[in-house]
Amino acid sequence: GFMGYTGFYSDIAWSHWVLTPALAMGGYHQGRGKYLDGTFQFRLELSLDYQFANKSRFGLKIAHISNAYTKQEDPGEDEIMLNYSMPLSFGKKT
């Protein structure tokens, strides 16, 4: 399956920890993926990361994709993911 989505998120930081809630909506194409009963889907996500001195992050992300009962069925899909991210810098900063 494939899902493209757009939405909102915000980083909430304290010390070296960063909590990132996200809400998005988008389109889903089943392909050989899970049946989610519809193209239009919502995505809720919560990530908790440890941010290192070089601004890279390591953490855990949980997410749920659902059609929010806009269709007959709402089988949904859940994810748990370990992630590592690092900032990219392009060009000279002033």
Side-chain angles (χ1 to χ4, degrees), residues 31-70:
R32 293 184 184 177
K34 185 174 182 179
Y35 173 74
L36 295 181
D37 196 14
T39 300
F40 186 70
Q41 301 289 323
F42 295 93
R43 179 180 178 90
L44 294 171
E45 185 176 294
L46 187 63
S47 178
L48 181 62
D49 300 313
Y50 182 84
Q51 183 168 281
F52 300 97
N54 66 358
K55 302 295 184 195
S56 65
R57 296 179 184 180
F58 179 75
L60 181 70
K61 179 183 292 191
I62 57 172
H64 177 73
I65 297 171
S66 168
N67 65 27
Y69 288 102
T70 57

